[in-house]
Amino acid sequence: MSTSKKRNKSNILCVLCVILIFIVLLLFILYFCVFNDNDEKRLSKIGYSNDEIHTLMEKLSDSQINELYNYDYLPFLESLIGLENYKQENMLSYIEYVNKIDSNSDLEIVIYLVNSNINYPYSAKLVDLVRSKYFILSRLDRYMKYDSDDINTIITNVNSNLDYKFYSNINPTDTSKETLLIVNKYYYLDKNYSYGNLVTIDKKYDNKTGSKLSSVAYEAFKKLVDDASKKGYYIRNNSAYRSYDYQNSLYSNYKILNGLAWADKWSARPGHSEHQTGLALDVGVKGKLSLDSFEGSNEFIWMRDNAHLYGFILRYPKGKEYITGYGYEPWHYRYVGVDVATYIYENNITFEEYYAYFVENKM
Ligand SMILES: [Zn+2]
């Protein structure tokens, strides 16, 4: 073979090689352009704007972005991932939840529902409940079961345990709550319990009953009586601590004399009396043991408006009988401390409502 022929053959081979390299290169370019879109391009194809893509790339993991390709464009996604309680690990659950309802629903509520593992379907009632001031998550089943269209009624009544009949679902009260322990028709005290030290009330503060009061409540009551007397109001104790046995005989006598309904409206069953705590007392005007006349006195007006400044609440207010389970008692005050008493006074709620939300739920 001649040298020129050899050269020609190697030239053809070279050209073939170049063509081959060119084809391979072309295939590569084609592959990257058509078959191997990057995330930006793929998200953009679904319909996300450049701003949205920027946020998604920043806040989502690669696997989460991959998950997005299973969905059509999600108009709420950018807002959702920017919300305060958004949890990355719940992203798919949020999307599934919103996809079941309409995408204009309240995303903060969706986040709350998903984060709290609430399984009730989204509804106006559920949203209103969750948004309510005194909503307690652990009571959600009871709210949903409660037969009322009014959200405030549902919250108030379930928080006060009114979905159970009085004395139908009773439990020992949690005495670790100390001055905030509750005693009512659902919570009772052990036979021998009273809070702190019981101190005999000095006759200067007492209508000759010889009653005792827990020292913390007694100190507050003395200050209250002293301050009131400086303004010309003469408030005295008419009945403070009562033992279980004493309450038992009191309640039994009322029941014999006036029947069960009357006894339950105006007196507590033994163990269920706030007087057994040592933190409650009935007050009257100096020298007057009558409870009924107290409401008409100037002392009552002063107590009603000032008792909270000393840590006492009017425990059985007018209009709240259905919650407390007792008739209106303008004479009965309970020590809970100044801050709590002030909150209850300013917000016009009962101790039942306060206790459910702030003490049992939060402490
Ligand atoms: Zn009382």
Side-chain angles (χ1 to χ4, degrees), residues 137-150:
L137 180 60
S138 61
R139 297 197 184 208
L140 181 59
D141 288 342
R142 290 167 63 189
Y143 296 137
M144 294 303 279
K145 265 188 232 154
Y146 198 82
D147 187 20
S148 170
D149 292 330
D150 183 68

Side-chain angles (χ1 to χ4, degrees), residues 8-195:
N8 271 346
K9 207 173 179 184
S10 67
N11 275 350
I12 289 167
L13 267 172
C14 258
V15 170
L16 277 174
C17 266
V18 167
I19 289 171
L20 201 73
I21 288 167
F22 185 73
I23 288 171
V24 168
L25 227 102
L26 211 68
L27 280 174
F28 261 110
I29 290 166
L30 207 70
Y31 176 78
F32 276 107
C33 288
V34 180
F35 302 107
N36 191 33
D37 268 1
N38 58 23
D39 285 335
E40 279 98 329
K41 278 193 180 153
R42 290 182 74 185
L43 290 170
S44 161
K45 268 187 189 165
I46 298 173
Y48 291 100
S49 70
N50 285 340
D51 283 348
E52 284 174 318
I53 292 168
H54 183 77
T55 313
L56 300 183
M57 301 291 287
E58 200 176 284
K59 297 207 169 164
L60 302 183
S61 66
D62 288 348
S63 67
Q64 284 181 317
I65 285 178
N66 265 320
E67 295 285 353
L68 292 183
Y69 304 138
N70 298 322
Y71 298 93
D72 293 334
Y73 173 65
L74 302 167
F76 56 87
L77 192 59
E78 194 191 11
S79 316
L80 182 91
I81 61 181
L83 288 173
E84 195 188 346
N85 295 315
Y86 167 83
K87 286 184 183 168
Q88 205 180 36
E89 67 269 26
N90 287 343
M91 189 194 78
L92 288 180
S93 306
Y94 301 136
I95 292 174
E96 294 295 336
Y97 202 108
V98 177
N99 275 346
K100 270 190 258 164
I101 51 178
D102 83 84
S103 57
N104 294 319
S105 48
D106 188 322
L107 294 174
E108 281 182 2
I109 295 280
V110 169
I111 285 181
Y112 179 82
L113 295 173
V114 170
N115 288 358
S116 315
N117 281 318
I118 291 174
N119 294 316
Y120 288 101
Y122 193 89
S123 67
K125 182 181 178 179
L126 185 61
V127 172
D128 287 346
L129 282 169
V130 169
R131 281 210 193 106
S132 289
K133 187 175 177 187
Y134 297 119
F135 171 79
I136 300 168
L137 180 60
S138 61
R139 297 197 184 208
L140 181 59
D141 288 342
R142 290 167 63 189
Y143 296 137
M144 294 303 279
K145 265 188 232 154
Y146 198 82
D147 187 20
S148 170
D149 292 330
D150 183 68
I151 295 297
N152 290 333
T153 301
I154 297 172
I155 295 276
T156 299
N157 291 10
V158 170
N159 285 6
S160 308
N161 295 311
L162 299 181
D163 46 340
Y164 302 113
K165 284 193 173 131
F166 292 138
Y167 292 122
S168 69
N169 181 37
I170 61 168
N171 288 292
T173 200
D174 180 356
T175 53
S176 74
K177 308 297 187 193
E178 303 197 324
T179 55
L180 294 181
L181 67 87
I182 195 165
V183 176
N184 61 16
K185 292 178 178 181
Y186 303 100
Y187 295 103
Y188 62 88
L189 289 170
D190 280 351
K191 213 174 166 181
N192 296 315
Y193 182 88
S194 64
Y195 178 74

